[in-house]
Amino acid sequence: MNHPHPGLPYPAKLAKKTLRIVALGGLGEIGRNMTVFEYEGRLLIVDCGVLFPGDDQPGIDLILPDFSYLKDRMNDIEAIFLTHGHEDHIGAVPYLLRERSDIRIIGSQLTLAFVAPKLKERRMSAPMTQVKAGQIEKVGPFTLEFVTVNHSIPDSLAVAIKTPAGVILHTGDFKMDKMPLDGKVTDLETFARLGKEGVDLFLVDSTNADVPGLTVAEKDIYPALKEAIAKTPRRVVITSFASHVHRIQQVLNAAQEANRKVAYVGRSMIRNMKLAEDLGYLKVPTGLVVDYKDIDSFGDKIVLICTGSQGEPLAALSRIANGDHEIMVGKGDTVVLASSLIPGNEKSVYRVINELTRFGAHVVHKGNAMVHVSGHASAGELLHCYEVVKPKNVLPVHGEWRHMRANADLAMQSGLSEHNVVIAENGITIDVADGHADISGSIPCGYVYVDGQSVGEITESSLKDRRILGDEGFISVVVVIDSQSGKIVAGPDIHARGFTEDKTLFDDVKGDIEKALSKAVAGGFNGTHQLSQVVRKTIGSWVGEEHRRKPMIIPLVVEV
Ligand SMILES: [Zn+2]
Ligand SMILES: [Zn+2]
């Protein structure tokens, strides 16, 4: 998908007193969130995250937003504001900084703390401005006001972007937990005040828009966590996202109550929890957390906290499940997956659960106990939010099509008319002026794949090849022909991968290839390219008819 709305032209030059908005990622998908705001030639970016690949993108490490729209405009960027420290919002920052290394980064304390090591790892440094809720920050022609929102990572901010063309309110990722661990509820009073002042366009998190009711409070999972730990005769292993500080806080509290020590396993978990503790986001009772290398002295009275809740092959939990980690689990141990199940990861997660169960461990997950709640507002909360803000226009963000559609319906239920609710895909430009928000065109905007060291070099067609190789295998055919007579002097030599080992498998088709080639030569075909196509066609239809397979076929006709 290179041009999401081929019917839409490239947008006209931005008119005066008009604000233009274009998402380079995050619309129609959950991940790689990135939105560009333009006013009077200057750009403000909100978020710059990554998307994790699905099963249909074999071998891909990460997917980035498409920066090509910014390529010639790097110097127009005033700053990038990061709503919170999740990978789908901050993960692509180092890749953007490769294009221009001194873009100013604005974010809350914890968000910047999670970004900093990513830059340090790559020997990058960019100017950073730490902000907090209530603060007003002038960024070129944009005036930003930050608003506390509650989410599954502390220190998340919504942002109001004020320009003479209008006011935008962007929720970031949020929910309305009434009793969060840090007491920081989503600041609806400020939402209401901004609404009264006039919100021309409201960008709203759509993730849970199709979930009815209200999202359960984080604190409500404590009883299930406590029970899982209390009932375990031996060791407890708990996985969660390494950024979910409040989830880990609850694990610490439950472990303390059960008189168990806690150890963190895995580099990102150790690093993030140290950061969170140092900055005061995580309260660790003295003596509770011990070093992983000392755990043997505590026997079974231990809770291990590790990463890998999504079945990521290299993370601690998958390696434990493979028997490929120092930590071995067995009868009497409990493994708790205190995490969501991100669509697309089901297979790997259930594989991990099955393997752990096979070793004898008891596995507790969101399917059999309430050990996870979502970080995103459900329909009831969103509806409430629309009633509080009373925006003039709404743009659902952060969701697949079904989520954005559900969110748009909620906005209309709250009283907005259909033409005040814009559903857009990545690359579609929306212009805001005089209280209106209208689609003004579209810019080319595709997927940018990271594969090892390569960024943006893997194309859709290379992925298609990988899928064929993975699903159907491959066949190579080498034939040597005499350039004068066209007679076969050697071959056909056929090699295949992903087929039965039976060496006689291709005997039948060799005669067909010979016949097809001599017929082609007699018919005036010449040149190795044309003859290669004859070979491809012959073996292709044979393998299709006889074996119902569509492998990748690489014919090679050599003339001597
Ligand atoms: Zn988030
Ligand atoms: Zn997100």
Side-chain angles (χ1 to χ4, degrees), residues 30-31 33 83-84 86-89 151 172-173 205 207 376 398:
I30 294 185
N33 296 285
T83 56
H84 64 287
H86 278 153
E87 284 301 313
D88 59 323
H89 298 260
H151 182 42
D173 290 7
D205 176 0
T207 317
H376 301 271
H398 204 284

Side-chain angles (χ1 to χ4, degrees), residues 21 37 166-170 198-203 391-395 420 422 430 432 436-437:
I21 299 164
F37 297 82
V167 175
I168 311 294
L169 180 58
H170 189 324
V199 168
D200 296 291
L201 183 63
F202 193 21
L203 277 63
K392 292 188 191 122
N393 301 282
V394 165
L395 172 66
N420 294 114
V422 189
I430 298 157
V432 176
H436 297 285

Side-chain angles (χ1 to χ4, degrees), residues 455-472:
V455 179
E457 285 155 21
I458 299 286
T459 61
E460 289 301 331
S461 99
S462 14
L463 276 185
K464 195 177 157 211
D465 284 350
R466 287 184 185 186
R467 286 192 287 267
I468 294 173
L469 285 170
D471 294 341
E472 303 283 350

Side-chain angles (χ1 to χ4, degrees), residues 223-239:
L225 270 182
K226 210 173 108 171
E227 190 188 315
I229 296 176
K231 276 190 173 168
T232 301
R234 303 201 59 202
R235 291 197 299 194
V236 181
V237 178
I238 298 188
T239 66

Side-chain angles (χ1 to χ4, degrees), residues 335-339 350 353 363-372:
V335 178
V336 183
L337 279 78
S339 51
Y350 287 120
I353 293 176
V363 183
V364 177
H365 54 92
K366 70 172 232 181
N368 60 18
M370 206 174 77
V371 287
H372 172 72

